[in-house]
Amino acid sequence: MAPLAATMASMTWGSESEPPPYGALPSARQLRWHELETYGFIHFTVNTFTDREWGEGDEDPKVFNPTDFDPDAIVSGLKTAGLKAVILTAKHHDGFCLWPTRTTEHCIRNSSWRDGRGDVVREVSQAASRQGLKFGVYLSPWDRNNAAYGKPEYIGIYRTQLTELLTQYGPICEIWFDGANGGTGYYGGAREKRVIDRATYYDWPQTWALARRLQPDAVIFSDVGPDVRWVGNEDGIAGETSWATYDPVGENGEPATVGNVDTRLSGIGTCHGKQWLPAECDVSIRPGWFWHEKENSKVKPPSALADLYFKSVGRGASHLLNVPPDRRGRLNEADLISLRGFGEWWKATFANNLARQARLKPTNVRGGSARHAPENLLDGDPSTYWATDDSVTTPELRLEFPQPVTFNIVCLREYIRLGQRVESLELDVKTGQNWRKVAAATSVGNCRLIRTPEPVTADQLRLRITQSPVCPALSALGIFYDARGPFL
Ligand code: FUL
C-alpha cells in the first residue's frame, strides 16, 4: 500500500491535470489555420482585362497582359493590413490557368505577357514566401473553357492541374474548392449548358485524398470542408452565434456536398456538432471579386473592414479579404489606402490590454493550482489557460482595477485544443457600489470579440460563464479601448 503522503501527492496531481477534452477537436492543421485569422484573396485573370466577373471561357488568352506586374508590391500591400497569407485564383471559372500547365492551351503560356514565359502562381508564391506570408491556391472545379467539362475525362484533367499546383510551388497553406459549378460556357466551342451531378461528378473524397497526400499540412476549404467551411455568404459575416463544430446538411435535407449545402446553417454551425469545421468568411474589398475601373470609388473604407473583422474573427471564424490587382498587376491606390488604414486601426486598437492592470479573483481554479490560474489569460501565451474543477461549469472571474478603466471591446479565447466548450457568458461592471450587466455573448471558440455600444468606465469587471456542458478552459482575456470605433 502506498504511504499517505504519496497518495495525497497523486491526488493533487490528479486534480491539477488537464480537463478532459470535450466533443470534436481541431486537427494540427486546423490549429495552425486558426492562428492566421486574417488573410488575403487575389482574384486576377482574363476577367481583369475583359471587365467581367465570370469569363465564358472563350476569351483570347492574349488579353492577359499586365503592364507592370509586381507581386512584391501586392504582397506588401496585403501585409500592411496584417494579413498573414494569400490565396490566388490559379484558375477561375473561365478555365484560364495562371501557370504554364500542361493540361490546356487556355493558359498564361499563350498570353501576350512576357511572350508566354511568365508564371503568376510562381511569382506570387515566391513573393509571399519572401515576405513571410503563407500561400494558398484557388482552383475552380467549374471550367467553362474545357471541352471535357461535364465528362469523366475532365476529372483527370482537374486532378492533374491540382497536382501541378501542389507539387511545383512549395508549401500550400489552403486549397480553395469553389461550390459554384455547372452552367453555360464555351466548352471547347460547344457553347452549351452543362449541368453536373454535384453529389457524384467530382468524386471529392478522391480529390481531397490527393490533396492530403501532396500537401498534408494544407487545409482544404469548401462548402463542407473537410477542414474549413464556407460561411454561407459572400459578405464576410459569420453568425452572431458561430460554432466551430458543424455537421452540414444539403439544401433539402439530403447529404451535403460541395455546391449543395443549407447555407442558413453554414454561418452558425452546429452546437456540439460531430466535426470540427470552422467557418471562413470570404468578402471582397470591392463590390466585385475582380478589378473593374468603375469600382475604384467603391472600395470599402477601413471602418467597414474593421466591422467585418469583428463579425468574422470576432465570432471565431476567419476573415478572407479579397483585394484584386488591376490591369497593371498591382493593387490600386484606393485599395492600398484602405488596407493600410485597417492595419493601423488594428495595431492601435489591440496594442494595450487593459486587463493586465487588474487583480484577478476567480470563483474557482482547477485543483487550486497555478497551472490553471486565471493569470494564464493575460500572459499572451495561447498554450496556457484558466480552467475550473470538472464540477464547476459556470464560474465567475472578477477583475479589480487599481484605477477605473474605460473600454469598449472585450476579447475572449477558449483553449480550443480541448474543444469548444462555453455556450454563453455575460459581462458586468461595477462603478461605485453598483453592478450592471453590459454585454452577453454565446459561442467563443478561437476568439470572441464583444463590442459595447458606448465606452464603459468601471472599477471592476465580472465575467460570468452562464452555460457550459463541462468546465470552461479559456486561454485569453483582453479589454481594449477603441478611440475611433468600434464601428457598431
Ligand atoms: C464564388 C465565385 O463564383 C466568385 O466568382 C468568387 O470566386 C467567389 C470567391 O466564389 O463562388
Side-chain angles (χ1 to χ4, degrees), residues 41 43 53-54 89 92-93 138 142 176 178-180 230 234 282 289-290:
F41 217 173
H43 274 64
E53 276 292 303
W54 280 10
T89 53
H92 202 250
H93 307 327
Y138 166 113
W142 184 21
W176 221 90
D178 198 325
W230 183 44
E234 289 180 340
D282 58 321
W289 292 97
F290 288 91

PDB file of all heavy atoms in Angstrom, residues 41 43 53-54 89 92-93 138 142 176 178-180 230 234 282 289-290, ligand 1:
ATOM      1  N   PHE A  41      -7.094  37.353 -50.414  1.00  0.00           N
ATOM      2  CA  PHE A  41      -7.532  36.614 -51.590  1.00  0.00           C
ATOM      3  C   PHE A  41      -7.125  37.485 -52.777  1.00  0.00           C
ATOM      4  O   PHE A  41      -7.285  38.716 -52.724  1.00  0.00           O
ATOM      5  CB  PHE A  41      -9.067  36.522 -51.534  1.00  0.00           C
ATOM      6  CG  PHE A  41      -9.682  35.240 -52.016  1.00  0.00           C
ATOM      7  CD1 PHE A  41     -11.062  35.038 -51.848  1.00  0.00           C
ATOM      8  CD2 PHE A  41      -8.937  34.237 -52.628  1.00  0.00           C
ATOM      9  CE1 PHE A  41     -11.674  33.869 -52.259  1.00  0.00           C
ATOM     10  CE2 PHE A  41      -9.554  33.064 -53.044  1.00  0.00           C
ATOM     11  CZ  PHE A  41     -10.918  32.875 -52.863  1.00  0.00           C
ATOM     12  N   HIS A  43      -8.058  37.812 -56.699  1.00  0.00           N
ATOM     13  CA  HIS A  43      -8.759  37.410 -57.920  1.00  0.00           C
ATOM     14  C   HIS A  43      -8.120  38.163 -59.080  1.00  0.00           C
ATOM     15  O   HIS A  43      -8.167  39.394 -59.138  1.00  0.00           O
ATOM     16  CB  HIS A  43     -10.255  37.741 -57.824  1.00  0.00           C
ATOM     17  CG  HIS A  43     -11.061  36.683 -57.148  1.00  0.00           C
ATOM     18  ND1 HIS A  43     -10.885  36.331 -55.842  1.00  0.00           N
ATOM     19  CD2 HIS A  43     -12.060  35.870 -57.631  1.00  0.00           C
ATOM     20  CE1 HIS A  43     -11.738  35.351 -55.526  1.00  0.00           C
ATOM     21  NE2 HIS A  43     -12.456  35.053 -56.594  1.00  0.00           N
ATOM     22  N   GLU A  53     -16.886  39.448 -64.403  1.00  0.00           N
ATOM     23  CA  GLU A  53     -16.786  38.717 -63.139  1.00  0.00           C
ATOM     24  C   GLU A  53     -16.664  37.215 -63.390  1.00  0.00           C
ATOM     25  O   GLU A  53     -15.929  36.521 -62.684  1.00  0.00           O
ATOM     26  CB  GLU A  53     -18.019  38.997 -62.267  1.00  0.00           C
ATOM     27  CG  GLU A  53     -17.919  40.258 -61.450  1.00  0.00           C
ATOM     28  CD  GLU A  53     -16.856  40.175 -60.352  1.00  0.00           C
ATOM     29  OE1 GLU A  53     -16.921  39.281 -59.508  1.00  0.00           O
ATOM     30  OE2 GLU A  53     -15.937  41.019 -60.356  1.00  0.00           O
ATOM     31  N   TRP A  54     -17.391  36.730 -64.384  1.00  0.00           N
ATOM     32  CA  TRP A  54     -17.309  35.314 -64.764  1.00  0.00           C
ATOM     33  C   TRP A  54     -17.010  35.247 -66.258  1.00  0.00           C
ATOM     34  O   TRP A  54     -17.897  35.538 -67.075  1.00  0.00           O
ATOM     35  CB  TRP A  54     -18.656  34.604 -64.520  1.00  0.00           C
ATOM     36  CG  TRP A  54     -18.910  34.196 -63.094  1.00  0.00           C
ATOM     37  CD1 TRP A  54     -18.201  34.529 -61.996  1.00  0.00           C
ATOM     38  CD2 TRP A  54     -19.980  33.344 -62.648  1.00  0.00           C
ATOM     39  NE1 TRP A  54     -18.753  33.960 -60.876  1.00  0.00           N
ATOM     40  CE2 TRP A  54     -19.847  33.219 -61.242  1.00  0.00           C
ATOM     41  CE3 TRP A  54     -21.027  32.676 -63.285  1.00  0.00           C
ATOM     42  CZ2 TRP A  54     -20.728  32.453 -60.475  1.00  0.00           C
ATOM     43  CZ3 TRP A  54     -21.904  31.926 -62.503  1.00  0.00           C
ATOM     44  CH2 TRP A  54     -21.751  31.813 -61.128  1.00  0.00           C
ATOM     45  N   THR A  89      -6.285  33.003 -57.171  1.00  0.00           N
ATOM     46  CA  THR A  89      -7.138  32.267 -58.116  1.00  0.00           C
ATOM     47  C   THR A  89      -6.260  31.736 -59.257  1.00  0.00           C
ATOM     48  O   THR A  89      -6.087  32.392 -60.287  1.00  0.00           O
ATOM     49  CB  THR A  89      -8.213  33.191 -58.731  1.00  0.00           C
ATOM     50  OG1 THR A  89      -7.555  34.350 -59.284  1.00  0.00           O
ATOM     51  CG2 THR A  89      -9.262  33.600 -57.725  1.00  0.00           C
ATOM     52  N   HIS A  92      -9.875  30.485 -62.527  1.00  0.00           N
ATOM     53  CA  HIS A  92     -11.265  30.811 -62.182  1.00  0.00           C
ATOM     54  C   HIS A  92     -12.188  30.057 -63.141  1.00  0.00           C
ATOM     55  O   HIS A  92     -11.738  29.190 -63.899  1.00  0.00           O
ATOM     56  CB  HIS A  92     -11.471  32.343 -62.214  1.00  0.00           C
ATOM     57  CG  HIS A  92     -12.636  32.799 -61.392  1.00  0.00           C
ATOM     58  ND1 HIS A  92     -13.787  33.299 -61.956  1.00  0.00           N
ATOM     59  CD2 HIS A  92     -12.850  32.796 -60.043  1.00  0.00           C
ATOM     60  CE1 HIS A  92     -14.648  33.601 -60.984  1.00  0.00           C
ATOM     61  NE2 HIS A  92     -14.107  33.304 -59.815  1.00  0.00           N
ATOM     62  N   HIS A  93     -13.502  30.358 -63.105  1.00  0.00           N
ATOM     63  CA  HIS A  93     -14.465  29.568 -63.880  1.00  0.00           C
ATOM     64  C   HIS A  93     -14.185  29.586 -65.389  1.00  0.00           C
ATOM     65  O   HIS A  93     -14.596  28.675 -66.112  1.00  0.00           O
ATOM     66  CB  HIS A  93     -15.899  30.071 -63.652  1.00  0.00           C
ATOM     67  CG  HIS A  93     -16.306  30.172 -62.210  1.00  0.00           C
ATOM     68  ND1 HIS A  93     -15.846  29.305 -61.239  1.00  0.00           N
ATOM     69  CD2 HIS A  93     -17.143  31.030 -61.572  1.00  0.00           C
ATOM     70  CE1 HIS A  93     -16.375  29.649 -60.068  1.00  0.00           C
ATOM     71  NE2 HIS A  93     -17.156  30.691 -60.248  1.00  0.00           N
ATOM     72  N   TYR A 138      -6.610  28.745 -55.203  1.00  0.00           N
ATOM     73  CA  TYR A 138      -8.000  28.542 -55.584  1.00  0.00           C
ATOM     74  C   TYR A 138      -7.955  27.904 -56.969  1.00  0.00           C
ATOM     75  O   TYR A 138      -7.294  28.422 -57.869  1.00  0.00           O
ATOM     76  CB  TYR A 138      -8.686  29.916 -55.630  1.00  0.00           C
ATOM     77  CG  TYR A 138     -10.037  29.981 -56.313  1.00  0.00           C
ATOM     78  CD1 TYR A 138     -11.205  30.249 -55.594  1.00  0.00           C
ATOM     79  CD2 TYR A 138     -10.151  29.829 -57.695  1.00  0.00           C
ATOM     80  CE1 TYR A 138     -12.441  30.336 -56.226  1.00  0.00           C
ATOM     81  CE2 TYR A 138     -11.382  29.910 -58.326  1.00  0.00           C
ATOM     82  CZ  TYR A 138     -12.517  30.162 -57.596  1.00  0.00           C
ATOM     83  OH  TYR A 138     -13.737  30.252 -58.221  1.00  0.00           O
ATOM     84  N   TRP A 142     -15.364  24.208 -61.737  1.00  0.00           N
ATOM     85  CA  TRP A 142     -16.117  24.529 -62.960  1.00  0.00           C
ATOM     86  C   TRP A 142     -15.151  25.169 -63.949  1.00  0.00           C
ATOM     87  O   TRP A 142     -14.455  26.120 -63.618  1.00  0.00           O
ATOM     88  CB  TRP A 142     -17.255  25.482 -62.604  1.00  0.00           C
ATOM     89  CG  TRP A 142     -18.174  25.826 -63.741  1.00  0.00           C
ATOM     90  CD1 TRP A 142     -18.364  25.128 -64.893  1.00  0.00           C
ATOM     91  CD2 TRP A 142     -19.027  26.967 -63.806  1.00  0.00           C
ATOM     92  NE1 TRP A 142     -19.296  25.756 -65.676  1.00  0.00           N
ATOM     93  CE2 TRP A 142     -19.727  26.894 -65.035  1.00  0.00           C
ATOM     94  CE3 TRP A 142     -19.290  28.034 -62.953  1.00  0.00           C
ATOM     95  CZ2 TRP A 142     -20.656  27.855 -65.422  1.00  0.00           C
ATOM     96  CZ3 TRP A 142     -20.220  28.991 -63.329  1.00  0.00           C
ATOM     97  CH2 TRP A 142     -20.899  28.901 -64.563  1.00  0.00           C
ATOM     98  N   TRP A 176      -8.612  25.963 -52.027  1.00  0.00           N
ATOM     99  CA  TRP A 176      -9.973  26.545 -52.030  1.00  0.00           C
ATOM    100  C   TRP A 176     -10.795  25.915 -53.134  1.00  0.00           C
ATOM    101  O   TRP A 176     -10.535  26.154 -54.323  1.00  0.00           O
ATOM    102  CB  TRP A 176      -9.850  28.045 -52.269  1.00  0.00           C
ATOM    103  CG  TRP A 176     -10.747  28.915 -51.461  1.00  0.00           C
ATOM    104  CD1 TRP A 176     -10.458  29.435 -50.237  1.00  0.00           C
ATOM    105  CD2 TRP A 176     -12.048  29.414 -51.821  1.00  0.00           C
ATOM    106  NE1 TRP A 176     -11.509  30.227 -49.818  1.00  0.00           N
ATOM    107  CE2 TRP A 176     -12.497  30.233 -50.769  1.00  0.00           C
ATOM    108  CE3 TRP A 176     -12.876  29.246 -52.926  1.00  0.00           C
ATOM    109  CZ2 TRP A 176     -13.726  30.884 -50.783  1.00  0.00           C
ATOM    110  CZ3 TRP A 176     -14.102  29.889 -52.939  1.00  0.00           C
ATOM    111  CH2 TRP A 176     -14.519  30.693 -51.870  1.00  0.00           C
ATOM    112  N   ASP A 178     -14.266  25.875 -54.860  1.00  0.00           N
ATOM    113  CA  ASP A 178     -15.463  26.699 -55.006  1.00  0.00           C
ATOM    114  C   ASP A 178     -16.689  25.825 -55.279  1.00  0.00           C
ATOM    115  O   ASP A 178     -16.621  24.887 -56.072  1.00  0.00           O
ATOM    116  CB  ASP A 178     -15.225  27.673 -56.174  1.00  0.00           C
ATOM    117  CG  ASP A 178     -16.179  28.851 -56.154  1.00  0.00           C
ATOM    118  OD1 ASP A 178     -17.340  28.668 -55.768  1.00  0.00           O
ATOM    119  OD2 ASP A 178     -15.736  29.947 -56.533  1.00  0.00           O
ATOM    120  N   GLY A 179     -17.795  26.185 -54.644  1.00  0.00           N
ATOM    121  CA  GLY A 179     -19.027  25.416 -54.842  1.00  0.00           C
ATOM    122  C   GLY A 179     -19.797  25.814 -56.095  1.00  0.00           C
ATOM    123  O   GLY A 179     -20.745  25.130 -56.499  1.00  0.00           O
ATOM    124  N   ALA A 180     -19.407  26.951 -56.730  1.00  0.00           N
ATOM    125  CA  ALA A 180     -20.136  27.400 -57.927  1.00  0.00           C
ATOM    126  C   ALA A 180     -19.732  26.516 -59.104  1.00  0.00           C
ATOM    127  O   ALA A 180     -18.560  26.491 -59.468  1.00  0.00           O
ATOM    128  CB  ALA A 180     -19.799  28.856 -58.224  1.00  0.00           C
ATOM    129  N   TRP A 230     -17.206  27.015 -45.803  1.00  0.00           N
ATOM    130  CA  TRP A 230     -17.716  28.305 -46.293  1.00  0.00           C
ATOM    131  C   TRP A 230     -18.747  28.794 -45.300  1.00  0.00           C
ATOM    132  O   TRP A 230     -19.556  28.008 -44.771  1.00  0.00           O
ATOM    133  CB  TRP A 230     -18.351  28.117 -47.666  1.00  0.00           C
ATOM    134  CG  TRP A 230     -18.836  29.392 -48.283  1.00  0.00           C
ATOM    135  CD1 TRP A 230     -18.183  30.586 -48.329  1.00  0.00           C
ATOM    136  CD2 TRP A 230     -20.083  29.581 -48.966  1.00  0.00           C
ATOM    137  NE1 TRP A 230     -18.952  31.508 -48.995  1.00  0.00           N
ATOM    138  CE2 TRP A 230     -20.115  30.932 -49.389  1.00  0.00           C
ATOM    139  CE3 TRP A 230     -21.167  28.750 -49.262  1.00  0.00           C
ATOM    140  CZ2 TRP A 230     -21.198  31.459 -50.094  1.00  0.00           C
ATOM    141  CZ3 TRP A 230     -22.236  29.277 -49.958  1.00  0.00           C
ATOM    142  CH2 TRP A 230     -22.249  30.618 -50.374  1.00  0.00           C
ATOM    143  N   GLU A 234     -21.260  35.768 -49.097  1.00  0.00           N
ATOM    144  CA  GLU A 234     -20.028  36.391 -49.578  1.00  0.00           C
ATOM    145  C   GLU A 234     -19.904  37.818 -49.050  1.00  0.00           C
ATOM    146  O   GLU A 234     -19.291  38.681 -49.666  1.00  0.00           O
ATOM    147  CB  GLU A 234     -19.976  36.306 -51.104  1.00  0.00           C
ATOM    148  CG  GLU A 234     -19.737  34.869 -51.517  1.00  0.00           C
ATOM    149  CD  GLU A 234     -19.666  34.627 -53.000  1.00  0.00           C
ATOM    150  OE1 GLU A 234     -20.168  35.471 -53.766  1.00  0.00           O
ATOM    151  OE2 GLU A 234     -19.111  33.586 -53.388  1.00  0.00           O
ATOM    152  N   ASP A 282     -15.391  34.832 -46.544  1.00  0.00           N
ATOM    153  CA  ASP A 282     -14.787  35.477 -47.710  1.00  0.00           C
ATOM    154  C   ASP A 282     -15.590  36.702 -48.097  1.00  0.00           C
ATOM    155  O   ASP A 282     -16.826  36.700 -48.053  1.00  0.00           O
ATOM    156  CB  ASP A 282     -14.652  34.498 -48.886  1.00  0.00           C
ATOM    157  CG  ASP A 282     -15.988  33.906 -49.317  1.00  0.00           C
ATOM    158  OD1 ASP A 282     -16.812  33.606 -48.432  1.00  0.00           O
ATOM    159  OD2 ASP A 282     -16.212  33.734 -50.534  1.00  0.00           O
ATOM    160  N   TRP A 289     -15.402  40.646 -57.366  1.00  0.00           N
ATOM    161  CA  TRP A 289     -14.201  39.895 -56.969  1.00  0.00           C
ATOM    162  C   TRP A 289     -12.992  40.285 -57.814  1.00  0.00           C
ATOM    163  O   TRP A 289     -11.864  40.183 -57.376  1.00  0.00           O
ATOM    164  CB  TRP A 289     -14.450  38.390 -57.086  1.00  0.00           C
ATOM    165  CG  TRP A 289     -15.454  37.919 -56.072  1.00  0.00           C
ATOM    166  CD1 TRP A 289     -16.787  37.728 -56.267  1.00  0.00           C
ATOM    167  CD2 TRP A 289     -15.204  37.620 -54.697  1.00  0.00           C
ATOM    168  NE1 TRP A 289     -17.388  37.319 -55.096  1.00  0.00           N
ATOM    169  CE2 TRP A 289     -16.435  37.245 -54.117  1.00  0.00           C
ATOM    170  CE3 TRP A 289     -14.067  37.627 -53.887  1.00  0.00           C
ATOM    171  CZ2 TRP A 289     -16.554  36.884 -52.776  1.00  0.00           C
ATOM    172  CZ3 TRP A 289     -14.178  37.265 -52.558  1.00  0.00           C
ATOM    173  CH2 TRP A 289     -15.414  36.903 -52.006  1.00  0.00           C
ATOM    174  N   PHE A 290     -13.277  40.711 -59.074  1.00  0.00           N
ATOM    175  CA  PHE A 290     -12.185  41.142 -59.954  1.00  0.00           C
ATOM    176  C   PHE A 290     -12.141  42.666 -60.013  1.00  0.00           C
ATOM    177  O   PHE A 290     -13.123  43.336 -59.681  1.00  0.00           O
ATOM    178  CB  PHE A 290     -12.372  40.544 -61.360  1.00  0.00           C
ATOM    179  CG  PHE A 290     -12.101  39.066 -61.367  1.00  0.00           C
ATOM    180  CD1 PHE A 290     -13.130  38.154 -61.147  1.00  0.00           C
ATOM    181  CD2 PHE A 290     -10.809  38.583 -61.521  1.00  0.00           C
ATOM    182  CE1 PHE A 290     -12.881  36.800 -61.099  1.00  0.00           C
ATOM    183  CE2 PHE A 290     -10.555  37.224 -61.474  1.00  0.00           C
ATOM    184  CZ  PHE A 290     -11.593  36.326 -61.269  1.00  0.00           C
TER     185      PHE A 290
HETATM  186  C1  FUL B   1     -17.724  32.339 -55.962  1.00  0.00           C
HETATM  187  C2  FUL B   1     -17.313  32.621 -57.400  1.00  0.00           C
HETATM  188  O1  FUL B   1     -18.374  32.379 -58.301  1.00  0.00           O
HETATM  189  C3  FUL B   1     -16.891  34.063 -57.434  1.00  0.00           C
HETATM  190  O2  FUL B   1     -16.546  34.500 -58.716  1.00  0.00           O
HETATM  191  C4  FUL B   1     -15.681  34.206 -56.480  1.00  0.00           C
HETATM  192  O3  FUL B   1     -14.593  33.464 -56.975  1.00  0.00           O
HETATM  193  C5  FUL B   1     -16.061  33.737 -55.088  1.00  0.00           C
HETATM  194  C6  FUL B   1     -14.912  33.755 -54.124  1.00  0.00           C
HETATM  195  O4  FUL B   1     -16.609  32.432 -55.137  1.00  0.00           O
HETATM  196  O5  FUL B   1     -18.375  31.147 -55.809  1.00  0.00           O
END
